[in-house]
Amino acid sequence: MDDQRTHIISALVLHKPGVLQRVAGLFTRRGFNIESITVGTSEQEEIARMTIIAKGDGKVLEQITKQLNKIIDVIKVRDLEPENTVKRELCLIKVHSPTEKIRAEVVQYVNIFRGRVIDVSPETLTIEMTGASDKIDALIDLVKGFGIKEIARTGPTAMSRGVKTI
Amino acid sequence: MRGGEALLKSLENQGVDVVFGYPGGQLLPLYDMIYDSDLRHILVRHEQCAAHAADGYARASGKVGVCIATSGPGATNLVTGIATAYMDSSPIVAIAGQVPTGLIGNDAFQEVDTLGMTMPITKHNFQPITSKEIPEMVKSAFYIAGTGRPGPVVLDLPKDVQEQELDFENDVKINLPGYKPTRKGHPLQIKRAASLIGNAKKPVILAGGGVIISNSSEELLKLSELVGAPVTTSLLGKGSFPEDHDLSLGMLGMHGRLSANFAVDKCDCLIAVGCRFSDRTTGKISEFAKNAKIIHIDIDPAEIGKNVDVDIPIVGDAKIILSNLIRAISQNKMSSKSMEWVNRVKDFKQTCIPKMSFDNTPLKPQQVIKEIAEAVDDDTIVTTDVGQNQMWMAHYFTSRKPKTFLSSGGLGTMGFGFPAAIGAKVAMPESDVVAVAGDGGFLMVSQELATVKEYDIPVVICVLDNRYLGMVAQWQNLFYEKRLSHTHLGESPDFVKLAEAFGVAADRVERPGELREVLSSAINSGEPTLIDVTIDPDEILPMVPPGCGLTEIVGEYKTEPNNSEDVPYHEAAKERAGD
């Protein structure tokens, strides 16, 4: 058995009600370890693209792929090669920043990480950060000290590099 | 045309001539339309039995079975039957009523999330929001249920949609871009399999329900004889291979025949066809066929590598693949070594011939099964319930033809046997149908006596009556220090009187030799009949404990006196099986 690895599974599914439930339900029912699912419209109107991040060995991955393929509303499933995949996640972080000094510091970090401040109040700054999940983790770690009021993450979405499509 | 009429017309277009159903509030429009239609509707007395009957209909005929129930409790009662069909890959279309679209989500009277509830136990499900969608949905439902690996499909039909007007088109196109079952096996894999089988010295075939579903019994027999491979079956594969054939090993697994378990343990090549390697079939996975290269033929790619690691996977329809395999192997002559194997298998099979004649009272189940076997012919469809009755039938009853042994395998649903027999008889009116049940399982569905009486469906029910939940008690006896916690059923009811209260003929059998005649005349009477067979509650069938290898049997077998006197059955078999 090979080692546990995080897999990026890209799936094309029919864009209709209940499909996300079919996919998510499958993970529960089969006892697969799912880390995140993102779903949204694709280049074709009637088709949605899902990105599923799941952990498991080769055997588990094979089952996940095959079971996903069995769902009638799932059109195509592919396990993306991590080295040939672009992967991005969106994260919103609301940081407690009651003083001028803290705000300056936070903005500095945000600039270094190429994030953006998208909302300000006397008490808080809200940061938008898009990037690799570990970069987002790093920024969260940095600003944690000031006090984080809220985090909302989308989970990664991904596609193959270059001309390759699924 | 209204939505409900479109549904009925679509069913008719699919060749449906009978449905098993139970009306209710949210189905009032549809039932009003059924009133005027030519569709044969059989009113069962519990929705669960509608699903089981549709399932029995499907298993006996190979066609898609149809059941109907109302929303809420009607739909929840269907669930057990749908899950049963799902586990055993039986094609049914279950139609459920639903509250009007405007009330969905309001916790309206008798509302339940049927789609959400049945998602994990169906191949697919649908809910039309407008009546226009109905024709395509019905066509898709039948196509999905009956093709590839068959399975149940649910159609959840809101009340207002049943009444909404539409322009009905007979010739609808279906669009299922995500559903393309593979039928032809990969040629290279078939070639590899052929060469592996050709070089095997000790091949064994494991046939599952897929052989029956794909109608490939003939090919199975041909392959087995061609390469000298003995055949064992899973519970659902029973009947796929004639069990009185020299090369038949009987059923494999926890409650299987020892000869089968030993042969699989010793074989060097296992050809598994249309089976899913259930834990009841394999025993401990790490011990399963540990000396063998495994070829797995299945139409569902997800079954390959799910439970057992295989050397050569072939995805596709068993009939096509077996034919190709036979063609590829035909050039290779059977080696003398495989004859040696065949002879060895025959030899240890001889050691294991179970004793079936007993003159004890209370009746021994072996004797009961023997008399059932003597009273029926090869075309008789037998259904079983779940529990000891099922395993005694699986073990001792000789099946010779596919689609004649119907049993709930995967879900192990008590109460399956009797309603499945109703469905089977409706599907195959020319065949005799005998349901074998335990007293526990039969009591779960005994209200269907009203159905067989009302519609004059002449099935014969043999209730193997030991006043115990026999299989659970067997496990308690073997693994829980004989602490029979709540498995004694007490002394009521009197099944003969119960049947008579429904107007169904009934008889009681207590002594050896009686059942054969009573059963024969019940079958010949052409009337539904219940036979209460009083059996010995102390008789158990030896088994492989859960988590053990297939050869680690507990309990004593009784063998024919000529075979290995004084040596326990499995010791002698083990010896003959050799290394």
Side-chain angles (χ1 to χ4, degrees), chain B residues 196-455:
Chain B
L196 182 64
I197 297 168
N199 291 321
K201 296 191 178 83
K202 298 184 279 185
V204 167
I205 299 173
L206 166 57
V211 173
I212 296 173
I213 293 169
S214 63
N215 292 315
S216 46
S217 288
E218 236 174 78
E219 287 79 3
L220 175 70
L221 181 64
K222 224 181 255 176
L223 178 69
S224 150
E225 287 177 344
L226 178 67
V227 297
V231 178
T232 177
T233 72
S234 67
L235 176 68
L236 288 192
K238 197 173 160 73
S240 63
F241 191 80
E243 289 186 310
D244 51 357
H245 193 285
D246 262 358
L247 286 167
S248 169
L249 291 164
M251 187 177 80
L252 180 70
M254 178 180 273
H255 301 284
R257 278 276 171 98
L258 261 190
S259 43
N261 288 10
F262 279 109
V264 167
D265 190 54
K266 299 290 172 223
C267 73
D268 65 351
C269 171
L270 183 73
I271 309 150
V273 194
C275 74
R276 61 185 182 87
F277 294 115
S278 133
D279 55 296
R280 287 307 197 248
T281 302
T282 62
K284 191 178 180 182
I285 292 282
S286 58
E287 292 291 306
F288 178 71
K290 56 184 183 294
N291 306 307
K293 294 270 185 207
I294 300 179
I295 299 164
H296 190 188
I297 299 167
D298 205 286
I299 198 156
D300 180 358
E303 282 310 329
I304 290 174
K306 187 184 81 180
N307 295 342
V308 167
D309 291 327
V310 299
D311 299 280
I312 304 180
I314 314 176
V315 176
D317 180 79
K319 195 176 182 77
I320 299 174
I321 293 169
L322 287 178
S323 311
N324 291 338
L325 207 46
I326 289 163
R327 203 170 312 134
I329 294 168
S330 293
Q331 294 101 316
N332 306 345
K333 289 257 150 54
M334 199 208 301
S335 69
S336 58
K337 275 174 188 155
S338 54
M339 273 319 292
E340 213 174 273
W341 168 241
V342 167
N343 290 332
R344 207 165 109 202
V345 167
K346 276 187 201 160
D347 196 36
F348 66 75
K349 224 172 98 179
Q350 280 301 314
T351 322
C352 312
I353 293 177
K355 184 179 175 199
M356 292 179 71
S357 301
F358 291 87
D359 44 22
N360 316 33
T361 14
L363 273 166
K364 291 287 182 191
Q366 296 92 325
Q367 173 73 22
V368 173
I369 309 298
K370 180 172 169 248
E371 292 188 32
I372 293 174
E374 285 164 355
V376 304
D377 62 37
D378 287 1
D379 293 310
T380 302
I381 297 167
V382 297
T383 71
T384 81
D385 218 82
V386 165
Q388 279 184 320
N389 64 86
Q390 176 185 36
M391 289 307 146
W392 284 323
M393 280 296 283
H395 198 85
Y396 296 111
F397 186 82
T398 305
S399 289
R400 295 179 183 84
K401 290 188 177 177
K403 297 186 178 134
T404 60
F405 185 88
L406 315 184
S407 193
S408 163
L411 200 68
T413 312
M414 280 176 73
F416 172 82
F418 177 31
I422 296 175
K425 183 69 189 176
V426 169
M428 312 295 280
E430 303 300 319
S431 301
D432 298 328
V433 178
V434 176
V436 176
D439 44 347
F442 179 72
L443 259 187
M444 289 185 172
V445 292
S446 55
Q447 75 283 347
E448 298 308 320
L449 287 168
T451 310
V452 290
K453 172 67 185 171
E454 177 68 25
Y455 293 92

Side-chain angles (χ1 to χ4, degrees), chain A residues 1 14 16-23 25-26 29-30 46-47 59 62-63 65-76, chain B residues 86 113 115-117 119-126 144 149 175-180 300-309:
Chain A
M1 234 185 251
L14 291 180
K16 58 183 199 187
V19 179
L20 182 60
Q21 190 185 349
R22 289 182 200 280
V23 172
L26 175 79
R29 181 159 70 90
R30 297 275 173 191
E46 72 279 18
I47 289 174
K59 203 178 155 147
E62 185 185 320
Q63 264 304 305
T65 320
K66 285 175 167 178
Q67 295 293 346
L68 278 173
N69 263 316
K70 264 178 85 164
I71 299 175
I72 307 283
D73 289 340
V74 172
I75 298 167
K76 218 174 202 185
Chain B
Y86 184 67
D113 175 13
L115 279 193
M117 192 170 67
M119 249 176 218
I121 52 162
T122 50
K123 199 169 162 186
H124 197 57
N125 55 19
F126 294 97
I144 292 168
R149 178 182 183 173
N175 178 28
L176 298 165
Y179 181 64
K180 292 185 203 78
D300 180 358
E303 282 310 329
I304 290 174
K306 187 184 81 180
N307 295 342
V308 167
D309 291 327

Side-chain angles (χ1 to χ4, degrees), chain A residues 89-106:
Chain A
E89 182 177 1
L90 169 67
C91 177
L92 302 179
I93 313 163
K94 192 175 285 178
V95 188
H96 185 56
S97 45
T99 67
E100 198 62 38
K101 190 169 163 273
I102 294 176
R103 271 204 280 276
E105 229 172 302
V106 171

Side-chain angles (χ1 to χ4, degrees), chain B residues 81-144:
Chain B
I82 295 170
T84 304
Y86 184 67
M87 287 291 265
D88 291 348
S89 311
S90 182
I92 65 170
V93 168
I95 298 159
Q98 183 56 277
V99 301
T101 47
L103 284 178
I104 290 178
N106 291 5
D107 297 322
F109 177 65
Q110 294 195 327
E111 183 187 358
V112 75
D113 175 13
T114 303
L115 279 193
M117 192 170 67
T118 57
M119 249 176 218
I121 52 162
T122 50
K123 199 169 162 186
H124 197 57
N125 55 19
F126 294 97
Q127 184 185 62
I129 296 301
T130 66
S131 59
K132 274 190 304 200
E133 301 167 60
I134 289 175
E136 188 187 334
M137 278 184 184
V138 174
K139 197 168 178 185
S140 300
F142 277 79
Y143 179 63
I144 292 168

Side-chain angles (χ1 to χ4, degrees), chain A residues 11-13 15 39-50 159:
Chain A
L12 290 180
V13 303
H15 191 36
V39 59
T41 46
S42 73
E43 66 284 359
Q44 288 162 273
E45 200 188 325
E46 72 279 18
I47 289 174
R49 188 180 298 274
M50 276 187 190
M159 61 172 65

